[in-house]
Amino acid sequence: MKLIICEKDNAAKRIASILSDDDMTVEKVGRVPVYRFMWEGEETCVMGLRGHIIELDFPKGMSSWEGTDPRSLIDARPVKNVSEHSIATKLKELSGEASSILVATDFDREGELIGSEAVEMALGDLEDKRVFRARFSSLTPDEVRSSFNKLTRLDLALANAAETRQVIDLVWGATLTRFISLASGRLGHAFLSVGRVQSPTLALLVDREKDIRAFEPVPYWRVEARFERDGITFDGTHLDGDIHDKVRAALLFSRVKGASEGMVTSVTKRNRTEKPPVPFNTTQFIRAANSSGYSAARIMSIAEDLYTRGFISYPRTDNTVYPKGLDLRKTLETLSQGPYRVHCEQLLSRETLVPSRGEKETTDHPPIYPTTFASKDELGPERFKIYDLVVRRFLATLNDPARIEITSLKIDVLGEPFSSSGSVLTYPGWRSVYDPGEKDEPPLPVLSMGDGLNVSDVSLSDKETKPPKRFSQGSLIQEMERLGLGTKSTRHEIIQKLIQRRFVEDNPTRPTLSGEALIGSLEKHAKHITEPVMTSRLEQDMERIAGGELAQSSVLMESREMLHSIMDVLEEHKAVIGSDINGALRSQDIVGKCPRCGNDLLVVRSMRGKRYVRCSKYPNCSRSYPLPQKGKVSFTSEQCPNCKSPMMMLYRRRGAPFATCMNMECPSRKQKDEAGATGGAPDV
DNA sequence: GCAAGGTC
């Protein structure tokens, strides 16, 4: 029996169907399907893994954070634990009968390691002569068949490179995470974490926040006017544009103030073509979907769901070029229903279809595109929103460029020149189906030189330069990609992790005090882990390991030495690190003054994990307040006028947030409760 | 209760 091993069930099913010409049986014991058929005269089984089926960890004896010197983790030998037991069992069972094993995992570095893990588990020997490797860049019949016709061997150097990354990430991550948590006494649920990807990502947000804080706005002025002709109004600006000299601005304004008429002195038109957008990779997909208000993690979870239901292609991809094997015409035919019908038919009537293409062409997966038609009723509003975006983007990539006519006017107002511009979509092309999310200038009335205009609202407007913008989750993911941080599959998870650990608040994405304190300390004493260079350096080393120029052992040795010297510095400053972080964290937890004794009130968690507020002088002062356990709460610096307890803002699922006193016994609160405005607060 | 990378 031949055993074919794939990275996931979906790929297993597809490969089995291609090799068997759809003549196969499925056997499903537990949650692990196995596809059986006859292939080249031999019984063949195909099974899918679930990505990595083993996980690196430290030996059991080192699992206690308090009882282990973090530094001892550096030279510890990580152990491999099975993380997918049902898969492992099935794999061992089938490999017992196998005369050969064909590794058909994804054609990338992690795929090589995932395949190697499976072989190690199945046969205990990576160099076993019964093991072969099939490499295909897309799951099309031609590609798959030809890859199985020219089987090669596992690339152990490539797998080694991936394993090196695993070890370095675990050793650095665990050592620094435990050290920082121990140094600041933040253990259990409140631990602080450090990692090669998460820390530089958090540092991006902290740096941006610092830039915003340090930003000093520069004032400037604009002389503006509103024009009207034939009932159509439009705005114009003095030709000097942004004026940085207040005196000059005032002078210009004084010349035109109170004007009631203007005259068109020039009309110029030019045409601009706007190329269709390129096919969706994960980053651009998240960025486009992010404007819907969903978090990156939520978007990916919806995409995952659409993928497993067969509505869209694989959502984790870096590819922005449709592969040759993708039948665009057939895809259009299946989509040609409901709201997409007109667009599809229009495209299908063409002799040739020329899709747009992005800069990055990879071979693992196609760009994200719709695979089947689905209606809004079938998907529900939330899923449909994401699906509709994918369909429209796909249709846009096959469509013509849009043409826009831009009109620029020059207008004389009491001898001063003003300008205005407007645009008209003269040929919508791809814009008829896809909204690029940018606002166009409104159109202007039809005008010619010498035409008179009514002028109103001549104004001198005060402006100031704006600080840099905070990252949205979409733009953060784009920046991570640019810097090489994380992968298409992990970037959204990293952001989610930073939010869960309370280093980052979403919406808008900004660091919390603990996030800032953590990065502040790391930048001072262990700068390397907060910089993207660590990742690019690791990438270089991995390439050299894969190319046979470097040994895994020497890279690991160097990495461990480096971490030792970082730990030298950290240990020397352990006390300062602890007090720096704790100082910042304490101020994060202070919500107001205790009305009983005047000391700080703190937000804390009870032994059972419930949040509440208590006096910092507990047990000397026993004043405490319950908090609602669900939903967001924020604290204002105000006191209740009735009882002097601190005020808080409650954010509800529906309706606007509202301010209330923390004191359940307060008369002001009683009225609100009767009105049904608050949820129940728990006992603490 | 540590990382980041696969996948569900």
Side-chain angles (χ1 to χ4, degrees):
Chain A
M1 181 264 275
K2 275 192 168 79
L3 174 61
I4 299 176
I5 300 171
C6 302
E7 189 151 324
K8 44 191 170 277
D9 172 58
N10 236 294
K13 191 193 285 173
R14 179 100 179 109
I15 285 170
S17 131
I18 290 169
L19 295 180
S20 71
D21 277 323
D22 265 336
D23 185 14
M24 56 179 179
T25 60
V26 191
E27 151 206 316
K28 204 173 188 174
V29 186
R31 282 172 57 221
V32 190
V34 176
Y35 306 90
R36 288 177 189 272
F37 52 93
M38 292 300 288
W39 178 50
E40 294 177 340
E42 198 175 343
E43 198 201 351
T44 303
C45 291
V46 188
M47 72 170 285
L49 306 171
R50 271 202 282 273
H52 287 288
I53 54 170
I54 65 149
E55 204 172 33
L56 279 192
D57 202 355
F58 289 105
K60 268 233 166 69
M62 310 183 92
S63 57
S64 158
W65 292 30
E66 292 92 332
T68 311
D69 177 4
R71 192 183 267 254
S72 68
L73 299 176
I74 303 178
D75 297 302
R77 211 186 139 74
V79 294
K80 294 180 174 186
N81 297 326
V82 176
S83 56
E84 296 290 342
H85 291 280
S86 57
I87 301 270
T89 308
K90 196 74 200 171
L91 177 62
K92 283 183 195 156
E93 178 196 316
L94 290 173
S95 60
E97 315 162 29
S99 55
S100 59
I101 292 185
L102 280 48
V103 176
T105 48
D106 288 359
F107 185 10
D108 56 26
R109 193 166 54 209
E110 291 296 325
E112 211 68 16
L113 177 57
I114 289 165
S116 302
E117 287 165 6
V119 169
E120 174 88 46
M121 181 168 298
L123 304 174
D125 178 11
L126 289 174
E127 313 210 29
D128 195 302
K129 289 292 167 236
R130 289 171 290 175
V131 178
F132 299 89
R133 173 78 159 115
R135 292 193 170 80
F136 42 83
S137 41
S138 66
L139 283 174
T140 55
D142 286 352
E143 282 265 355
V144 170
R145 285 204 195 96
S146 82
S147 77
F148 278 88
N149 280 331
K150 44 173 202 258
L151 292 167
T152 54
R153 296 289 180 179
L154 272 178
D155 184 345
L156 297 183
L158 187 60
N160 245 314
E163 193 188 54
T164 310
R165 178 205 57 72
Q166 279 190 329
V167 175
I168 290 176
D169 279 339
L170 175 66
V171 170
W172 281 69
T175 305
L176 295 174
T177 292
R178 287 196 194 182
F179 173 83
I180 284 280
S181 298
L182 285 164
S184 56
R186 308 290 285 199
L187 294 166
H189 293 295
F191 77 93
L192 302 174
S193 62
V194 182
R196 172 177 59 84
V197 177
Q198 61 173 278
S199 298
T201 302
L202 181 55
L204 285 177
L205 297 173
V206 171
D207 287 350
R208 179 59 56 92
E209 207 59 28
K210 280 187 195 153
D211 287 346
I212 292 171
R213 234 172 264 149
F215 182 80
E216 290 188 27
V218 178
Y220 65 91
W221 294 266
R222 267 189 208 158
V223 180
E224 293 169 324
R226 173 152 294 177
F227 300 100
E228 185 269 338
R229 167 104 186 184
D230 302 332
I232 303 175
T233 58
F234 58 97
D235 295 324
T237 309
H238 190 283
L239 209 56
D240 278 18
D242 298 348
I243 305 162
H244 294 275
D245 178 353
K246 190 177 185 178
V247 179
R248 173 156 176 83
L251 173 72
L252 292 177
F253 177 61
S254 71
R255 290 183 192 161
V256 293
K257 191 167 58 177
S260 60
E261 283 181 354
M263 191 181 75
V264 177
T265 56
S266 101
V267 182
T268 46
K269 289 182 192 289
R270 66 190 168 88
N271 285 301
R272 193 162 63 88
T273 58
E274 210 173 42
K275 281 195 246 170
V278 303
F280 263 155
N281 63 8
T282 303
T283 302
Q284 290 311 314
F285 162 65
I286 292 176
R287 196 164 155 71
N290 194 215
S291 60
S292 65
Y294 297 138
S295 73
R298 180 89 190 106
I299 291 162
M300 284 307 282
S301 124
I302 295 171
E304 177 74 36
D305 188 40
L306 288 169
Y307 159 67
T308 50
R309 290 162 189 261
F311 295 118
I312 66 171
S313 64
Y314 193 66
R316 295 184 276 268
T317 177
D318 288 323
N319 196 357
T320 53
V321 179
Y322 295 127
K324 267 194 239 108
L326 175 58
D327 192 337
L328 299 167
R329 219 164 257 283
K330 201 171 145 199
T331 308
L332 285 173
E333 277 160 17
T334 53
L335 289 174
S336 186
Q337 297 174 55
Y340 313 122
R341 185 172 186 157
V342 180
H343 298 289
C344 291
E345 282 176 356
Q346 201 264 329
L347 289 167
L348 282 166
S349 70
R350 300 178 179 195
E351 225 154 85
T352 51
L353 287 171
V354 187
S356 63
R357 44 189 297 141
E359 279 173 12
K360 197 152 184 189
E361 183 167 11
T362 63
T363 50
D364 47 353
H365 300 285
I368 306 169
Y369 72 96
T371 48
T372 330
F373 173 81
S375 68
K376 191 171 186 172
D377 287 347
E378 198 174 352
L379 294 180
E382 204 175 56
R383 275 198 292 259
F384 182 74
K385 205 168 182 176
I386 301 296
Y387 169 78
D388 186 58
L389 177 74
V390 173
V391 176
R392 289 179 179 280
R393 177 75 165 216
F394 173 71
L395 297 174
T397 62
L398 300 173
N399 227 307
D400 300 326
R403 280 202 297 274
I404 296 160
E405 187 188 72
I406 298 163
T407 306
S408 306
L409 291 183
K410 288 216 177 81
I411 300 161
D412 180 278
V413 179
L414 298 176
E416 290 297 321
F418 278 67
S419 69
S420 180
S421 72
S423 61
V424 177
L425 200 56
T426 48
Y427 179 72
W430 63 272
R431 287 241 203 169
S432 62
V433 65
Y434 186 79
D435 175 10
E438 297 148 19
K439 273 193 216 123
D440 289 321
E441 289 175 323
L444 297 175
V446 180
L447 292 165
S448 359
M449 226 167 103
D451 283 350
L453 299 168
N454 292 320
V455 178
S456 60
D457 298 334
V458 179
S459 63
L460 178 62
S461 56
D462 286 337
K463 307 262 180 189
E464 52 182 32
T465 52
K466 295 269 185 298
K469 276 194 183 136
R470 293 201 173 85
F471 288 103
S472 68
Q473 290 198 18
S475 61
L476 182 57
I477 281 180
Q478 197 170 354
E479 182 66 358
M480 290 170 77
E481 183 185 48
R482 192 181 73 78
L483 295 168
L485 294 173
T487 71
K488 56 196 186 297
S489 320
T490 58
R491 289 183 195 114
H492 63 277
E493 294 173 355
I494 296 278
I495 296 175
Q496 206 56 23
K497 192 176 275 186
L498 292 172
I499 294 170
Q500 265 164 23
R501 306 249 161 101
R502 296 168 193 263
F503 301 149
V504 170
E505 271 173 13
D506 65 348
N507 214 2
T509 310
R510 64 200 292 182
T512 60
L513 283 173
S514 51
E516 287 200 42
L518 177 59
I519 291 302
S521 251
L522 289 175
E523 279 180 345
K524 220 191 285 174
H525 308 290
K527 192 150 176 55
H528 195 57
I529 194 71
T530 68
E531 294 178 327
V533 181
M534 175 143 182
T535 294
S536 38
R537 176 67 206 278
L538 183 61
E539 282 294 332
Q540 286 170 12
D541 284 349
M542 284 201 288
E543 260 170 42
R544 295 178 68 192
I545 293 172
E549 297 166 48
L550 269 180
Q552 180 189 51
S553 56
S554 70
V555 173
L556 286 179
M557 200 161 70
E558 197 188 329
S559 169
R560 285 177 161 130
E561 274 170 19
M562 192 162 172
L563 184 53
H564 268 301
S565 58
I566 285 175
M567 284 299 288
D568 286 342
V569 179
L570 286 172
E571 279 174 347
E572 193 187 327
H573 300 97
K574 187 173 174 183
V576 180
I577 292 170
S579 63
D580 277 2
I581 292 179
N582 271 315
L585 287 173
R586 210 168 298 119
S587 60
Q588 177 169 267
D589 293 340
I590 295 174
V591 303
K593 294 281 173 221
C594 176
R596 194 174 293 173
C597 71
N599 286 295
D600 292 335
L601 287 171
L602 306 175
V603 179
V604 290
R605 286 197 176 261
S606 72
M607 297 287 275
R608 283 181 288 160
K610 295 201 165 182
R611 61 184 182 186
Y612 69 105
V613 168
R614 70 156 165 77
C615 180
S616 58
K617 292 296 165 198
Y618 176 84
N620 293 332
C621 173
S622 63
R623 185 71 198 131
S624 73
Y625 300 94
L627 292 174
Q629 296 303 307
K630 284 188 183 159
K632 192 180 155 177
V633 182
S634 75
F635 303 96
T636 63
S637 48
E638 279 150 53
Q639 281 185 342
C640 171
N642 279 312
C643 69
K644 304 288 177 236
S645 296
M647 301 289 286
M648 62 182 171
M649 297 291 288
L650 294 182
Y651 299 78
R652 297 162 301 170
R653 235 161 200 277
R654 268 175 230 167
F658 69 98
T660 181
C661 167
M662 263 179 212
N663 181 5
M664 299 292 284
E665 309 302 321
C666 178
S668 71
R669 177 97 191 215
K670 286 241 150 88
Q671 289 160 6
K672 278 193 190 134
D673 281 349
E674 276 157 25
T678 70
D683 58 331
V684 286

